[in-house]
Amino acid sequence: MMSETAKQISPALAAVVMAAGKGTRMKSNTAKVLHAVAGKPMLEWVLDLALEIGCERAVAVVGHQAERVRAHVEGKYGAGRFLFAEQREQKGTGHAVMMAAGALQGFEGRVLILSGDVPLLSQETLKPLLEAPASLRVALLSMVLDDPTGYGRVIRGEDGRVRRIVEHKDATETERQVREVNSGVYLIDAALLLQWLPRLQPNNAQGEYYLTDLIRFAAEENAAAEAYPASPEDLGGINDRVQLAAASAVARQRILRRHMLGGVTIEDPVTTYIDRDVTIGNDAIIEPGAHLRGATSIGEGAVIGAGSVIINSQVGPQVRVQAWCHFEDAVVGPACKIGPYARLRPGAELSADCHIGNFVELKKARMGKGSKANHLAYLGDAEIGSGVNVGAGTITCNYDGKNKHVTRLADGVFVGSDTQFVAPVSVGAGAYIGAGSTITEDVPAGALAFTRAPQTVKEGWVRKKAERDALKTAEKKT
Ligand code: UD1
Ligand code: CA
């Protein structure tokens, strides 16, 4: 009851995500906030967090490559989920938030200000801000660093309360000794923010509009600003690709830990790469060197073999994927046995209990329950029923140089080894295809079809050839 009441009275939240900066030190043609941390663009980590904590309104301030960043976000979350404010010229963090003021009009509650380049921030770390007493006008997260160079220093009064933040370039030698720095994550009352933003002036060493001046404004009003120290690991901003890799490593460890504590065996966390949005069922076993990417899901009790790479694919429960398989946009039904060395390309869809063996490639191919292709096959643009046996070396000739065509194998078809299906072609239920056939015409249900040339046997041919050869050699010598 208590917590429900508390929920009802806790004020609404909005978020402003600053993401306009160029990210010069990335030395990239791609906007910094679109670079991936553990397989997910860093801006998405921040936007996900804003959604997770229940922000009713979230505004991304975009500038550098604004259109591309916006298109990315709308592509991922749908249009309208986030609002956008454009900051054409980057005149400082205060200026960035000023650009978002229009989108915040009419919002009553508190505004969380985040940076698009701080992807490791978590709900847990935000807790002190979200639970800050309502009497505070501004709350921020700080961090205590051995080397605070470059950061804004948190300047506290004799009473220990925060007075202001001074940027490194504006700080005196004494102020530079302070090791508590501003992380750039703030919570502020929306009405005050809108009231105070117009008061910001670029009268400082960098000639920028400093968002940090808001702390001073709040402190001047009954010392109503506070800073909560939090873990630098969560609050580190990403400016270059060394920091990008370091953040990915931290994110990766967290992801792996979550899965392990959730009941997944990860044999070697050091060599296992799992993207953030991957889901894995209980008692799955992930062998060393596996990569699970994008929107992949792995079912309960599945085993993912060493070195396998699985991208945007659904792997059902109890599936056994042996070493060195590669899946992309594929669906694997329960209890299938795949690999080693199998490739499932986009549109590969296996029902339950299928077997796909070594050096078998499927593309846009569906297979019914219990069907098998165990060795060396290419099945592209294929509709394969259940209980079908595809022999070694079978190939669907699906491409005529211009168009793709479909091969249909109905339930229970038996395909002898080294068969080519020249699509479009269909084989009826239960039919047999003799080994080594090139099938160009439809085969009716229950029939046997083969295109094999009759076998010729010449008895004693080897001995006769040897005699002929010997004669030739003798003729040459004379
Ligand atoms: C800011 C803080 C500093 C703090 C530091 C933490 C100010 C004045 N200083 O420093 O106290 O220690 O963050 O990292 O706020 N951005 C825009 N538009 C701009 C400028 C910045 O969108 O005009 C975005 C950047 O893309 C980035 C974030 O704001 O995501 C922070 O900008 P950055 O230049 O890294 O911060 P500083 O101003 O150096
Ligand atoms: Ca700056």
Side-chain angles (χ1 to χ4, degrees):
M1 281 310 279
M2 276 302 288
S3 67
E4 262 190 20
T5 320
K7 232 182 207 167
Q8 278 164 17
I9 58 167
S10 82
L13 267 180
V16 172
V17 179
M18 296 184 283
K22 185 161 191 294
T24 312
R25 278 175 281 169
M26 295 298 283
K27 300 193 175 147
S28 175
N29 293 326
T30 301
K32 176 167 82 171
V33 292
L34 295 184
H35 281 262
V37 166
K40 194 176 173 74
M42 57 178 109
L43 181 57
E44 286 183 24
W45 287 77
V46 181
L47 297 179
D48 281 354
L49 177 64
L51 297 180
E52 231 173 86
I53 61 170
C55 289
E56 285 177 11
R57 207 182 284 194
V59 190
V61 181
V62 292
H64 183 67
Q65 290 188 4
E67 274 320 303
R68 216 174 126 187
V69 174
R70 181 178 181 147
H72 178 89
V73 171
E74 292 187 335
K76 173 80 191 186
Y77 298 91
R81 192 73 195 80
F82 292 95
L83 301 174
F84 292 87
E86 193 168 346
Q87 186 194 25
R88 287 212 173 75
E89 249 183 292
Q90 276 84 68
K91 298 185 200 165
T93 49
H95 185 252
V97 179
M98 281 178 191
M99 300 300 108
L104 290 173
Q105 288 301 330
F107 175 77
E108 285 175 31
R110 298 171 305 165
V111 181
L112 184 65
I113 299 176
L114 303 167
S115 290
D117 59 359
V118 182
L120 297 182
L121 184 59
S122 65
Q123 196 165 353
E124 189 60 28
T125 303
L126 276 180
K127 230 173 159 186
L129 290 195
L130 300 176
E131 291 173 357
S135 56
L136 284 181
R137 299 304 179 85
V138 180
L140 66 106
L141 293 179
S142 63
M143 26 183 198
V144 176
L145 301 179
D146 290 336
D147 177 12
T149 308
Y151 288 92
R153 308 299 205 282
V154 176
I155 306 299
R156 292 175 183 269
E158 275 164 15
D159 57 0
R161 301 300 296 269
V162 173
R163 287 287 184 276
R164 61 199 166 87
I165 288 174
V166 59
E167 291 306 300
H168 183 90
K169 286 183 178 153
D170 300 292
T172 63
E173 267 316 309
T174 324
E175 287 168 337
R176 285 184 182 177
Q177 303 304 310
V178 173
R179 288 171 44 232
E180 184 183 12
V181 303
N182 171 25
S183 72
V185 176
Y186 318 82
L187 191 73
I188 178 168
D189 176 79
L192 278 179
L193 177 67
L194 293 176
Q195 184 188 320
W196 284 344
L197 280 174
R199 276 174 61 188
L200 295 178
Q201 293 296 326
N203 50 6
N204 49 57
Q206 303 186 80
E208 286 183 4
Y209 293 89
Y210 286 173
L211 187 60
T212 45
D213 285 347
L214 299 183
I215 310 302
R216 183 163 49 79
F217 300 165
E220 283 164 4
E221 285 194 10
N222 306 318
E226 192 47 275
Y228 298 94
S231 154
E233 190 183 75
D234 289 32
L235 289 165
I238 292 175
N239 295 306
D240 58 38
R241 298 195 204 219
V242 175
Q243 290 168 336
L244 183 72
S248 281
V250 171
R252 202 157 68 78
Q253 293 316 314
R254 288 183 184 176
I255 292 165
L256 294 171
R257 192 181 150 79
R258 167 164 56 84
H259 287 299
M260 289 186 280
L261 293 176
V264 176
T265 294
I266 293 174
E267 290 182 353
D268 181 18
V270 176
T271 60
T272 304
Y273 293 78
I274 300 180
D275 284 352
R276 204 184 80 155
D277 295 341
V278 171
T279 62
I280 310 179
N282 261 39
D283 284 328
I285 297 173
I286 314 298
E287 293 181 2
H291 295 235
L292 308 180
R293 301 294 199 187
T296 288
S297 64
I298 306 291
E300 274 189 29
V303 179
I304 306 300
S308 287
V309 176
I310 301 184
I311 305 162
N312 294 329
S313 296
Q314 287 162 252
V315 175
Q318 313 303 331
V319 168
R320 176 76 175 97
V321 178
Q322 298 201 67
W324 313 114
C325 291
H326 192 283
F327 303 173
E328 186 169 3
D329 295 325
V331 178
V332 179
C336 286
K337 290 193 165 61
I338 319 279
Y341 305 105
R343 181 169 184 208
L344 302 183
R345 290 171 52 201
E349 275 186 47
L350 306 176
S351 303
D353 302 315
C354 291
H355 291 191
I356 300 296
N358 38 259
F359 308 109
V360 173
E361 173 185 346
L362 270 74
K363 186 222 69 171
K364 241 179 156 183
R366 280 202 294 215
M367 257 194 176
K369 191 171 183 324
S371 289
K372 295 175 185 172
N374 272 325
H375 332 267
L376 301 159
Y378 171 60
L379 303 171
D381 300 290
E383 295 285 345
I384 298 169
S386 57
V388 171
N389 196 314
V390 176
T394 296
I395 285 172
T396 55
C397 309
N398 57 326
Y399 186 50
D400 63 12
K402 273 196 182 125
N403 296 303
K404 302 280 169 69
H405 302 281
V406 177
T407 298
R408 290 189 173 81
L409 307 179
D411 293 351
V413 164
F414 178 92
V415 181
S417 297
D418 196 24
T419 292
Q420 300 99 50
F421 290 104
V422 182
V425 72
S426 297
V427 180
Y432 271 55
I433 307 295
S437 297
T438 302
I439 301 296
T440 53
E441 309 282 336
D442 288 355
V443 178
L448 165 68
F450 58 90
T451 63
R452 203 179 301 152
Q455 183 166 323
T456 307
V457 175
K458 296 190 176 179
E459 295 251 16
W461 181 86
V462 175
R463 184 181 39 79
K464 285 177 197 155
K465 179 180 189 295
E467 285 168 6
R468 276 200 309 273
D469 290 350
L471 210 65
K472 271 185 203 154
T473 316
E475 276 169 5
K476 263 188 203 156
K477 276 185 182 158
T478 54

